[in-house]
C-alpha cells in the first residue's frame, strides 16, 4: 500500500498523500525498512540528494511549509544518520561520508560542543535544543568498502 499510494513516479520519491512535498523522513523510513525495491531505493536516494541536500546536509522538506519544523531551512541529524547508513548499505560510500561531513562537520564548524537536535541551514541561526542524544548516530557509522 505504501508503494501504491505514496510513491511518485514523477518525483521519483515517496510523497505525502496530503501535500505536494518531498520529506526526508518520509523517504528514508520506507527505504530503511525494505518497503522500496532496489530501483526505488536508488531513485529516492538520488532525489533526496538533488532536492534536499544543502551545504549543511539534507533538509527536512524540499520546501517551507508553515508550522513544520521550519521545512527546508533545517536539517535533522537524527534522520541524516539513517540516510548515511542507507548510502553505505547501497554502495554510496562517498555520498555517505559527504553527508556526514556536511551535517556534523557544519556543527563543528559552527562551534558545537554537543550534538544538536536540528541544524539550521543558515549560518548564524540557532535551534533551541543544542544537546540531543538522537543526533549522535554518526558515531557508529562506518564505511563498508573504504578506509576513511
Amino acid at each position: 500500500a505504501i508503494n501504491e499510494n505514496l510513491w511518485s513516479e514523477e518525483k521519483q520519491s515517496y510523497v505525502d498523500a496530503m501535500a505536494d512535498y518531498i520529506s526526508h523522513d518520509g523517504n528514508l523510513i520506507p527505504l530503511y525498512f525494505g518497503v522500496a525495491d532496489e530501483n526505488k531505493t536508488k531513485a529516492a536516494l538520488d532525489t533526496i540528494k538533488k532536492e534536499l541536500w544543502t551545504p549543511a546536509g539534507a533538509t527536512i522538506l524540499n520546501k517551507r511549509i508553515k508550522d513544520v519544523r521550519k521545512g527546508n531551512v533545517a536539517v535533522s541529524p537524527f534522520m541524516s544518520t539513517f540516510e548515511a547508513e542507507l548510502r553505505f548499505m547501497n554502495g554510496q560510500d562517498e555520498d555517505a561520508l559527504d553527508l556526514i561531513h556536511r551535517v556534523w562537520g557544519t556543527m563543528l564548524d559552527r562551534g558545537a560542543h554537543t550534538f544538536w537536535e536540528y541544524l539550521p541551514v543558515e549560518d548564524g541561526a540557532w535551534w533551541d535544543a543544542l544537546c540531543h542524544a538522537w543526533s549522535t548516530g554518526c558515531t557508529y557509522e562506518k564505511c563498508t568498502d573504504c578506509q576513511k
Side-chain angles (χ1 to χ4, degrees), residues 5-6 14-21:
N5 294 302
L6 300 177
Y14 291 97
V15 295
D16 189 292
M18 303 294 285
D20 185 33
Y21 62 83

Side-chain angles (χ1 to χ4, degrees), residues 40-141:
K40 282 183 174 64
T41 297
K42 182 183 180 329
L45 287 172
D46 289 349
T47 298
I48 287 169
K49 186 174 180 182
K50 178 183 169 199
E51 296 288 331
L52 303 179
W53 275 32
T54 71
T59 57
I60 296 168
L61 302 170
N62 69 325
K63 58 176 89 170
R64 190 163 196 164
I65 297 175
K66 186 179 178 192
D67 301 323
V68 182
R69 297 205 180 208
K70 303 199 185 268
N72 66 344
V73 298
V75 170
S76 167
F78 176 65
M79 292 312 300
S80 294
T81 296
F82 293 102
E83 181 181 350
E85 187 167 350
L86 280 160
R87 289 189 183 281
F88 282 134
M89 291 166 52
N90 286 281
Q92 298 180 14
D93 291 356
E94 292 301 318
D95 281 347
L97 292 170
D98 186 7
L99 181 65
I100 290 169
H101 287 285
R102 287 172 189 250
V103 177
W104 290 274
T106 297
M107 278 190 246
L108 291 172
D109 290 346
R110 292 184 186 173
H113 298 287
T114 59
F115 292 93
W116 299 346
E117 179 181 12
Y118 287 95
L119 173 63
V121 171
E122 295 176 11
D123 192 16
W126 291 94
W127 195 264
D128 293 337
L130 296 178
C131 185
H132 206 279
W134 287 6
S135 298
T136 62
C138 69
T139 61
Y140 78 83
E141 291 297 343

